[in-house]
C-alpha cells in the first residue's frame, strides 16, 4: 500500500491535499520527444510556477515538501522535454516542490554523484526541504501513481524502464531516479565525490545505504515505469571498479562532509533554479 509507505513532510490537518492513487494501469506514452513544447515563460505563467521552478497547491495544504535535483551537462533538448512534462506531472500530485538543475562546467569528466551532493547543499540553503529526489533528466515517469515524495525507507523509483524491457537488471541497481529524506541522506554522508566519468557511483551509494542498515524499497513494476529519452551511451570509466573495491573505507570521509565546489553562476529560470558549478 503506497499510502502506508509515504513519509509525510507535514502533519495532515483540515484541508490537507488529497494524494489520489488512481490505480491507473500503465499505458505506453506516445513518444515524449514528439510532444509539442511550450515556451518556458508561457508555461510558467499558465501553470503558476514561480521563478526558479517553485510551485505549491493553493487550494489545499500540501503534505510533501520536495526538492528535485537534476545533474546536467549539454543535453538541452532533453532538459526542455523533461521540464515540459514534469511540471504538470508534479502538480497533479499536489506537491510543494522546487526543481534544481546543477550544471557541471566543461573542465572535468562528468561527476553525477558529486552534482547530487552540490544540489542537496544548495537546495538546503533555499528552503528546509524534507525530501529529495535525485534523478536523471532522460527519465520520464509514466505512471501518475509514482509519487514524487519520500518513503520511510530510501526508494528506487525507476525500477521499470522501457530500455530494460521494464525489468530490473539487478537487485542492487539504485540509479536513474531515487527518493531520500534529508535525514536518510545525511545519515549516509550523501554520495561519494570521487566518481568522475560514467558508472559505479550509484552502486557505491547503494552499498552506503546497506552499510548503514537502510533497506531500499520499490513500488510495483507497473507503477515504477519510466520512458528513457534516447541518447548516445557514454563510455564507462575505467577507474570505476577500483573505486568501488575500496568504497567502504571512504563512507565516513568522502561525501557531504568533505564536499568542495565552486558556484560559477546561478539564475532563477522560469521552470527551474539553475546552478553552474566547478566540481
Ligand atoms: C552498472 C553500472 C551502474 C549503472 C548500471 C545501469 O553496470 O553505474 O550499470 O546502467 N555500474 C558500474 O559500472 C560499476 S545503464 O544500463 O542504465 O546505462 O547505473
Amino acid at each position: 500500500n503506497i499510502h502506508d509507505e509515504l513519509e509525510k513532510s507535514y502533519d495532515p490537518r483540515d484541508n490537507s491535499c488529497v494524494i489520489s492513487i488512481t490505480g491507473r494501469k500503465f499505458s505506453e506514452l506516445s513518444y515524449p520527444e514528439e510532444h509539442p513544447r511550450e515556451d518556458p515563460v508561457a508555461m510558467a505563467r499558465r501553470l503558476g510556477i514561480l521563478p526558479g521552478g517553485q510551485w505549491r497547491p493553493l487550494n489545499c495544504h500540501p503534505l510533501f515538501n520536495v526538492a528535485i535535483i537534476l545533474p546536467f551537462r549539454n543535453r538541452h533538448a532533453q532538459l526542455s522535454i523533461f521540464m515540459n512534462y514534469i511540471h504538470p506531472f508534479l502538480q497533479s500530485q499536489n506537491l510543494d516542490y522546487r526543481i534544481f538543475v546543477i550544471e557541471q562546467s566543461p573542465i572535468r569528466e562528468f561527476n553525477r554523484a558529486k552534482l547530487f551532493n552540490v544540489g542537496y547543499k544548495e537546495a538546503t540553503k533555499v528552503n528546509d526541504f524534507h525530501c529529495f529526489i535525485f534523478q536523471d533528466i532522460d527519465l520520464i515517469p509514466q505512471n501518475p501513481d509514482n509519487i514524487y515524495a519520500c518513503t520511510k525507507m530510501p526508494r528506487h523509483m525507476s525500477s521499470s524502464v522501457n530500455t530494460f524491457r521494464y525489468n530490473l537488471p539487478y537487485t542492487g541497481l539504485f540509479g536513474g531516479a531515487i527518493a531520500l529524506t534529508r535525514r536518510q541522506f545525511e545519515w549516509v554522508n550523501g554520495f561519494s565525490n570521487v566518481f568522475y566519468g560514467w558508472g559505479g557511483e550509484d552502486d557505491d551509494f547503494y552499498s552506503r545505504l546497506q552499510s548503514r542498515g537502510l533497506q531500499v524499497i520499490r513500488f510495483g513494476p507497473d507503477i515504477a515505469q519510466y520512458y528513457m529519452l534516447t541518447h548516445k551511451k557514454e563510455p564507462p570509466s575505467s577507474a570505476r571498479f577500483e573505486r568501488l573495491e575500496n568504497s567502504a573505507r571512504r563512507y565516513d570521509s568522502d561525501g557531504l562532509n568533505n564536499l568542495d565546489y565552486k558556484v560559477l553562476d546561478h539564475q532563477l529560470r522560469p521552470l527551474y533554479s539553475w546552478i553552474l558549478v566547478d566540481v
Side-chain angles (χ1 to χ4, degrees):
N1 184 322
I2 293 176
H3 281 285
D4 295 342
E5 299 284 350
L6 292 173
E7 164 101 0
K8 298 192 175 63
S9 310
Y10 307 112
D11 288 334
R13 51 164 143 165
D14 285 354
N15 200 26
S16 282
C17 300
V18 175
I19 300 304
S20 82
I21 304 295
T22 59
R24 192 158 101 192
K25 272 274 171 241
F26 155 75
S27 65
E28 190 80 48
L29 276 182
S30 59
Y31 291 98
E33 284 98 330
E34 288 164 14
H35 280 201
R37 262 169 269 157
E38 197 174 354
D39 167 71
V41 174
M43 185 176 186
R45 194 180 305 127
R46 180 173 65 85
L47 295 178
I49 299 160
L50 301 178
Q54 170 102 34
W55 185 84
R56 75 201 304 273
L58 297 175
N59 54 358
C60 58
H61 293 289
L63 288 168
F64 302 98
N65 165 235
V66 188
I68 293 154
I69 312 290
L70 308 165
F72 178 78
R73 180 146 85 186
N74 284 338
R75 291 182 182 166
H76 292 276
Q78 290 196 349
L79 186 61
S80 113
I81 295 168
F82 182 84
M83 289 301 161
N84 204 75
Y85 183 90
I86 206 73
H87 278 287
F89 181 91
L90 297 169
Q91 294 190 354
S92 79
Q93 298 182 336
N94 273 329
L95 311 169
D96 178 356
Y97 71 87
R98 187 179 181 102
I99 300 183
F100 295 86
V101 171
I102 315 299
E103 176 164 351
Q104 186 178 333
S105 70
I107 53 170
R108 287 190 76 172
E109 278 184 295
F110 197 61
N111 189 331
R112 176 178 181 267
K114 191 167 180 187
L115 293 175
F116 281 146
N117 284 343
V118 170
Y120 173 83
K121 272 271 163 14
E122 292 297 314
T124 54
K125 292 179 190 169
V126 173
N127 194 347
D128 185 20
F129 293 104
H130 170 262
C131 172
F132 291 80
I133 312 280
F134 301 99
Q135 97 149 72
D136 298 328
I137 58 157
D138 58 2
L139 283 174
I140 306 290
Q142 291 179 282
N143 191 319
D145 287 353
N146 195 7
I147 179 154
Y148 268 53
C150 282
T151 34
K152 293 185 179 117
M153 284 291 168
R155 173 158 124 260
H156 185 222
M157 301 172 75
S158 56
S159 53
S160 183
V161 184
N162 65 332
T163 48
F164 297 125
R165 295 168 187 272
Y166 296 108
N167 285 305
L168 185 66
Y170 58 100
T171 325
L173 179 65
F174 204 58
I178 60 175
L180 286 95
T181 62
R182 181 178 185 148
R183 200 202 280 194
Q184 291 159 357
F185 196 64
E186 291 279 344
W187 174 241
V188 298
N189 194 21
F191 281 87
S192 165
N193 295 310
V194 303
F195 283 83
Y196 285 87
W198 187 91
E201 81 294 340
D202 48 347
D203 302 322
D204 178 279
F205 191 64
Y206 184 77
S207 56
R208 282 181 181 228
L209 297 175
Q210 291 206 302
S211 80
R212 292 288 196 164
L214 292 176
Q215 287 299 317
V216 161
I217 72 152
R218 296 187 172 98
F219 290 165
D222 53 330
I223 291 170
Q225 263 156 342
Y226 281 78
Y227 176 90
M228 192 186 280
L229 302 171
T230 47
H231 50 79
K232 223 174 74 226
K233 273 214 151 203
E234 301 290 327
S237 137
S238 52
R240 70 197 193 286
F241 293 114
E242 200 187 313
R243 289 185 190 125
L244 275 174
E245 252 163 48
N246 53 36
S247 61
R249 267 186 261 149
R250 294 190 318 266
Y251 295 157
D252 296 330
S253 56
D254 161 29
L256 287 178
N257 66 356
N258 76 334
L259 180 61
D260 182 34
Y261 63 97
K262 198 164 129 205
V263 173
L264 303 176
D265 199 358
H266 59 94
Q267 290 168 11
L268 299 183
R269 293 188 176 167
L271 301 179
Y272 54 87
S273 300
W274 174 76
I275 301 172
L276 179 69
V277 284
D278 259 351
V279 296

